[in-house]
Amino acid sequence: MNNSVAVIGESMLELMRAESDSSCRSMPAMLSYGGDTLNSSVYMSRLGAKVEYITAVGKDKNSEWLVKQWQSEGVGTRFVRTDEKKVPGLYMVTNDESGERYFTYWRNDSAARYIIDSEEKKQALYADLEGFDWIVISGISIAILDEASKKRMYELLQQCKARGAKIAFDGNYRPALWESKEQTRQAYQTVTAFADIILPTIDDEFQLYGEEPKDEVIDRLLSYGAKEIVLKMGGEGCYTVADNERTLVPGRKVVVVDTNSAGDSFNAGYLTGRMLGMSVEESAQRGHLLASTVVQYRGAIIPKTAMPKMVG
């Protein structure tokens, strides 16, 4: 796999709350790291892609620890910015009995929010992205930016596309990060119009537009200019849409322990499949295999020894 991938986003410190013991005293929480784009970066790296993570951190010990963790996974950090006045964001994950996860965030002034807050930073980022075959970004990567920075990011991505990069976008809707649904819709429509691959989730689409048949969801996304769509539908699987073909690719039935990073790992499997020249259906099957493994473990990043054997 010779494709080089730049992933733009925010990684945070992750706290996994432990269960209480029989005396109701709190057990220690587990410290790790995560964030949608970082999760995808780690899994793409494990699958053989050459990945550089584009973000910003502080100069504190936690930031240093984060970068070392990414490097240990083979994720490139050449273009990670440092801001001595900022620190990483933090989130806590809890799970219900079905494995569904819930997040509490402390990220309002994280370093990653300022990665493109000036024209100078935009030009520097454009120079860093030269030569990358793929650029991956999510709705969270955009949501954390102020309005002027959002506009710069759209311009940057379009400039990179014009010189040959392929753009992959996962909306990954988090209502608390947006001022309104209308603001989110406009942002997603803007990116969808020039992205090469979009990887929306049916539940996000329902939250933003109301429940509607999947074909109407797909028709709407196509009307925005979508070219290749992978509509993720949880345990049901996904619908792939490319070259006017709509195909249901069933998911894998497993016992779910934690849904954290299910979509992020699916994205990694799918995108690396496409980088290898696989069909959309083969790539979706690859995504399902990885995601169905990840949800059987707690936390965003599973042990390397638990990774499934992938074709290609």
Side-chain angles (χ1 to χ4, degrees):
M1 185 186 302
N2 297 319
N3 292 280
S4 56
V5 188
V7 183
I8 303 174
E10 177 189 33
S11 178
M12 294 175 287
L13 297 163
E14 176 188 89
L15 284 178
M16 179 72 71
R17 190 171 67 184
E19 299 295 330
S20 296
D21 64 16
S22 58
S23 63
C24 296
R25 289 177 297 182
S26 178
M27 300 290 283
M30 180 174 67
L31 178 65
S32 185
Y33 62 92
D36 62 339
T37 49
L38 191 280
N39 299 338
S40 293
S41 296
V42 168
Y43 288 120
M44 283 193 286
S45 177
R46 290 183 180 184
L47 294 177
K50 182 180 178 182
V51 183
E52 287 285 340
Y53 194 53
I54 312 294
T55 191
V57 296
K59 288 192 174 182
D60 56 287
K61 293 297 182 181
N62 283 325
S63 292
E64 292 176 7
W65 178 81
L66 281 174
V67 173
K68 288 179 181 177
Q69 299 308 303
W70 308 338
Q71 292 170 342
S72 73
E73 288 284 358
V75 175
T77 59
R78 287 184 298 153
F79 305 124
V80 172
R81 274 77 170 147
T82 56
D83 187 336
E84 61 186 13
K85 297 181 180 180
K86 306 296 179 184
V87 294
L90 171 70
Y91 70 96
M92 177 175 281
V93 184
T94 56
N95 296 90
D96 63 20
E97 293 180 354
S98 70
E100 186 60 45
R101 80 279 194 213
Y102 299 90
F103 299 93
T104 303
Y105 295 101
W106 296 267
R107 74 193 313 172
N108 289 339
D109 199 37
S110 69
R113 287 178 172 265
Y114 304 93
I115 193 171
I116 193 170
D117 64 342
S118 69
E119 281 297 318
E120 291 75 17
K121 289 183 180 180
K122 173 187 166 185
Q123 293 306 317
L125 186 52
Y126 179 69
D128 289 345
L129 292 171
E130 185 174 6
F132 283 96
D133 301 301
W134 292 79
I135 298 173
V136 179
I137 194 166
S138 79
I140 294 176
S141 311
I142 295 168
I144 63 173
L145 306 175
D146 63 30
E147 281 304 309
S149 296
K150 285 182 175 66
K151 182 179 179 181
R152 293 188 198 97
M153 185 62 75
Y154 304 148
E155 294 170 349
L156 171 72
L157 294 171
Q158 288 174 297
Q159 289 170 349
C160 291
K161 181 179 174 68
R163 68 184 182 190
K166 293 183 178 180
I167 311 297
F169 174 63
D170 176 1
N172 208 3
Y173 179 48
R174 295 290 183 269
L177 296 178
W178 296 91
E179 293 178 4
S180 66
K181 290 183 179 180
E182 181 56 33
Q183 182 196 40
T184 313
R185 294 183 194 118
Q186 291 178 357
Y188 287 11
Q189 289 176 33
T190 297
V191 181
T192 296
F194 60 78
D196 295 276
I197 299 175
I198 62 169
L199 300 119
T201 301
I202 193 69
D203 289 343
D204 290 350
E205 295 299 312
F206 287 170
Q207 285 190 71
L208 285 167
Y209 294 93
E211 293 197 24
E212 54 189 351
K214 58 185 175 295
D215 280 325
E216 292 184 18
V217 174
I218 291 169
D219 288 341
R220 175 169 46 74
L221 294 169
L222 288 170
S223 75
Y224 300 154
K227 302 161 188 69
E228 180 173 321
I229 303 169
V230 186
L231 182 61
K232 293 173 287 187
M233 303 183 66
E236 183 179 343
C238 69
Y239 269 86
T240 61
V241 184
D243 299 324
N244 296 317
E245 294 271 344
R246 302 186 183 192
T247 304
L248 171 64
V249 184
R252 291 170 170 256
K253 303 298 182 182
V254 298
V255 176
V256 177
V257 173
D258 183 357
T259 59
N260 191 8
S261 200
D264 309 330
S265 56
F266 175 90
N267 293 348
Y270 183 86
L271 292 173
T272 53
R274 296 297 280 151
M275 292 172 196
L276 287 165
M278 295 180 178
S279 69
V280 292
E281 184 173 354
E282 292 169 330
S283 298
Q285 291 170 344
R286 182 181 174 91
H288 287 323
L289 174 58
L290 180 54
S292 67
T293 303
V294 169
V295 299
Q296 296 179 66
Y297 293 82
R298 293 194 74 195
I301 307 297
I302 66 173
K304 291 181 182 179
T305 54
M307 290 288 291
K309 184 176 181 180
M310 308 291 279
V311 176

